[in-house]
């Protein structure tokens, strides 16, 4: 398994306690900290024994395989939710405004409201032989 060279995992600061970590479509919560090393446990603890130890920005140890498939959708949804909660606490914007802004930047495709916003990728503008059929 090859990890991307920079930033193999992402940390998400949650409001209540500590952090969550996203790595490879899996989500982890802090199990404990020993010196500089953070022990993360899969959020499916109880059914999944996968653990990761990190030091600074490096994964220094992996224990056990996940017993379930990665779930990028729930990971991305969690990031959006945490962002909304933080924004609501730290800004003066209304909840309605914050949710709207967060959904705009979330990875889910945004529903276009005008024809001008409907940007069709070039690959979908051509017929099988390459002729343009959509303007
Ligand atoms: Zn797991």
């Amino acid at each position: 398994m090859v990890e991307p060279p920079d930033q193999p995992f992402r940390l998400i600061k949650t409001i209540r306690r500590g952090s969550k970590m996203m790595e490879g479509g899996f989500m982890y919560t802090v199990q404990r900290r020993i010196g500089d090393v953070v022990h993360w446990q899969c959020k499916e603890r109880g059914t999944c024994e996968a653990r990761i130890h990190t030091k600074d920005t490096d994964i220094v140890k992996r224990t056990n395989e996940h017993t379930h498939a990665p779930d990028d959708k729930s990971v991305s949804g969690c990031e959006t939710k945490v962002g909304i909660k933080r924004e609501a606490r730290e800004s003066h914007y209304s909840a309605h405004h914050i949710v709207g802004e967060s959904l705009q930047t979330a990875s889910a495709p945004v529903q276009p409201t005008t024809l001008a916003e409907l940007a069709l990728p070039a690959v979908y503008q051509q017929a099988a032989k390459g002729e343009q059929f959509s303007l």
Side-chain angles (χ1 to χ4, degrees):
M1 195 170 141
V2 180
E3 295 288 350
D6 57 331
Q7 209 186 8
F9 57 90
R10 281 179 297 162
L11 287 177
I12 295 183
K13 292 272 177 221
T14 56
I15 288 170
R16 281 196 199 138
R17 31 187 320 239
S19 313
K20 285 182 182 169
M21 192 245 296
M22 313 295 163
E23 192 267 334
F26 296 103
M27 197 181 318
Y28 300 84
T29 55
V30 174
Q31 185 179 23
R32 60 175 167 258
R33 294 168 200 272
I34 298 176
D36 297 341
V37 179
V38 183
H39 294 200
W40 301 88
Q41 60 188 352
C42 177
K43 83 171 175 87
E44 303 292 332
R45 64 182 181 278
T47 56
C48 179
E49 292 294 312
R51 304 285 185 266
I52 286 183
H53 297 180
T54 60
K55 187 175 179 187
D56 300 322
T57 56
D58 297 316
I59 293 173
V60 293
K61 187 180 176 186
R62 289 175 188 274
T63 315
N64 300 320
E65 295 288 319
H66 288 275
T67 57
H68 53 100
D71 185 359
D72 286 315
K73 213 181 270 178
S74 113
V75 165
S76 166
C78 173
E79 285 182 296
T80 304
K81 207 165 81 184
V82 168
I84 291 171
K85 283 188 188 168
R86 185 188 309 121
E87 190 78 12
R89 179 170 285 206
E90 293 172 1
S91 82
H92 60 274
Y93 291 115
S94 72
H96 179 83
H97 174 89
I98 293 162
V99 170
E101 288 285 303
S102 296
L103 293 180
Q104 290 277 330
T105 57
S107 54
V110 177
Q111 197 80 19
T113 52
T114 66
L115 203 54
E117 286 174 23
L118 181 65
L120 201 58
V123 67
Y124 298 121
Q125 295 177 18
Q126 295 178 350
K129 289 182 184 169
E131 318 97 76
Q132 187 88 9
F133 78 88
S134 164
L135 295 175

